[in-house]
């Protein structure tokens, strides 16, 4: 708190007066916000300098004093997401835009089209490293792709791999140094090894997790986490953190978002 010159406890404060937000994605300093009508908004975008810490409190004061601002014109977006220092937005036309807040040592927000990721994506996920990023996407036709943007000595080299061929997929998730998960269109849940193994061998076969066929959402946060159609939430892959045990392929019940099992 002393670092940010904050007196007392941090408290929640409402940002603006609108109530029709659907998603938010932060880059660590500001946010991309998506409304239900597909319009893109930004908040927390005032500039500051890494070389002058004294500019940070002023940025925070200005950010708090202003409501979110509409970004762009009539363009409509389907989703926003974030990873490490960047946020991303996908337009309804399938193009993917990368929102970065840095130019040299100054925080200056820009939204730039990432032509590496442009395509007709049903959904996608990005995991950023310091100078590159990994990408996972499900196309509108159900095909599953993994991409990696290598940046040796700041010279980017993007490669894309298709895997899970012969099946149609609905949603997928992954962790940078962990496994890949995807829900097939029949509602079953599947797991691949690490993304590095998939890139070495895109033909590698996944294994099914559990026997359910009504999964609707999946995410990764150290361990896998999936949501079933009945509202039950399940985890797997060392949920006990006992790393000496072999990871389980059987999801473990965690609770129900509707308040009952």
């Amino acid at each position: 708190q002393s670092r940010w010159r904050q007196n007392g406890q941090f408290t929640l404060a409402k940002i603006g007066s609108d109530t029709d937000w659907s998603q938010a994605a932060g880059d660590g300093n500001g946010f991309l916000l998506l409304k239900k009508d597909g319009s893109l908004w930004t908040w927390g975008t005032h500039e500051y300098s890494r070389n002058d810490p004294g500019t940070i409190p002023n940025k925070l004061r200005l950010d708090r004093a202003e409501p979110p601002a509409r970004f762009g014109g009539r363009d409509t977006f389907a989703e926003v997401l974030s990873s490490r220092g960047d946020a991303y937005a996908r337009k309804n036309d399938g193009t993917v835009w990368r929102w970065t807040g840095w130019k040299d040592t100054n925080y200056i927000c820009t939204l730039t089209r990432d032509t590496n990721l442009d395509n007709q994506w049903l959904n996608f996920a990005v995991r950023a490293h310091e100078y590159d990023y990994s990408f996972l996407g499900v196309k509108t036709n159900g095909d599953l792709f993994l991409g990696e943007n290598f940046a040796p000595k700041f010279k980017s080299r993007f490669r894309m791999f298709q895997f899970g061929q012969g099946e149609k997929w609905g949603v997928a998730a992954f962790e940078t140094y962990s496994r890949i998960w995807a829900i097939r269109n029949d509602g079953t849940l599947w797991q691949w090894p690490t993304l590095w193994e998939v890139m070495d061998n895109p033909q590698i076969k996944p294994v099914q997790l559990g026997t359910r066929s009504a999964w609707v959402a999946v995410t990764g946060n150290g361990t896998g986490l999936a949501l079933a159609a009945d509202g039950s939430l399940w985890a797997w892959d060392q949920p006990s953190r006992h790393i000496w045990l072999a990871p389980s392929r059987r999801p473990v019940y965690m609770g129900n978002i509707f308040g009952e099992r």
Side-chain angles (χ1 to χ4, degrees):
Q1 292 179 345
S2 60
R3 178 183 177 187
W4 302 108
R5 301 181 185 179
Q6 173 79 19
N7 295 321
Q9 295 296 316
F10 285 106
T11 58
L12 292 175
K14 188 176 181 180
I15 300 171
S17 59
D18 294 348
T19 59
D20 56 344
W21 304 106
S22 62
Q23 286 183 317
D27 73 340
N29 300 286
F31 293 87
L32 285 180
L33 307 171
L34 184 65
K35 282 197 173 187
K36 293 178 181 178
D37 63 3
S39 59
L40 190 67
W41 297 63
T42 61
W43 183 81
T45 58
H46 285 91
E47 300 176 11
Y48 75 95
S49 174
R50 279 176 168 168
N51 293 337
D52 185 1
T55 61
I56 296 176
N58 186 56
K59 166 188 163 52
L60 296 177
R61 283 193 294 269
L62 291 173
D63 287 345
R64 292 171 182 171
E66 293 187 8
R70 175 75 184 263
F71 190 94
R74 297 182 178 179
D75 292 343
T76 55
F77 290 77
E79 65 177 320
V80 294
L81 59 88
S82 60
S83 179
R84 197 164 180 139
D86 295 312
Y88 297 81
R90 177 171 63 89
K91 284 188 179 181
N92 284 339
D93 64 6
T95 57
V96 175
W97 297 72
R98 189 176 186 178
W99 191 58
T100 181
W102 292 105
K103 184 176 181 180
D104 298 324
T105 60
N106 295 319
Y107 182 71
I108 302 174
C109 301
T110 56
L111 191 65
T112 305
R113 183 173 175 177
D114 193 328
T115 55
N116 285 331
L117 306 184
D118 280 357
N119 219 305
Q120 294 299 312
W121 300 108
L122 176 67
N123 61 72
F124 72 101
V126 178
R127 295 288 182 266
H129 316 287
E130 187 173 3
Y131 299 118
D132 57 12
Y133 59 82
S134 302
F135 168 84
L136 180 69
V138 180
K139 287 190 176 181
T140 52
N141 65 0
D143 289 344
L144 189 58
F145 283 84
L146 179 68
E148 180 73 15
N149 187 60
F150 300 93
K153 295 183 179 179
F154 305 102
K155 295 181 180 179
S156 296
R157 179 167 55 90
F158 187 80
R159 296 191 296 167
M160 186 80 79
F161 306 83
Q162 183 178 0
F163 65 107
Q165 299 185 39
E167 303 290 350
K168 298 302 179 184
W169 305 94
V171 65
F174 76 127
E175 285 292 324
T176 303
Y177 301 110
S178 186
R179 295 171 174 79
I180 300 170
W181 307 286
I183 299 174
R184 208 165 62 182
N185 277 357
D186 62 1
T188 55
L189 179 62
W190 299 79
Q191 175 179 277
W192 283 264
T194 62
L195 60 89
W196 312 113
E197 294 175 84
V198 173
M199 285 189 290
D200 287 339
N201 179 18
Q203 304 303 318
I204 194 169
K205 298 296 183 182
V207 296
Q208 186 175 355
L209 297 178
T211 58
R212 285 174 170 253
S213 57
W215 301 104
V216 295
V218 61
T219 187
N221 186 21
T223 61
L225 193 67
L227 177 68
D230 64 0
S232 57
L233 200 61
W234 302 75
W236 65 93
D237 196 9
Q238 303 169 359
S240 65
R241 297 292 183 179
H242 293 167
I243 60 175
W244 57 85
L245 300 176
S248 174
R249 295 179 183 175
R250 181 180 179 182
V252 177
Y253 178 75
M254 304 295 290
N256 192 291
I257 63 173
F258 300 130
E260 59 183 18
R261 188 167 181 173

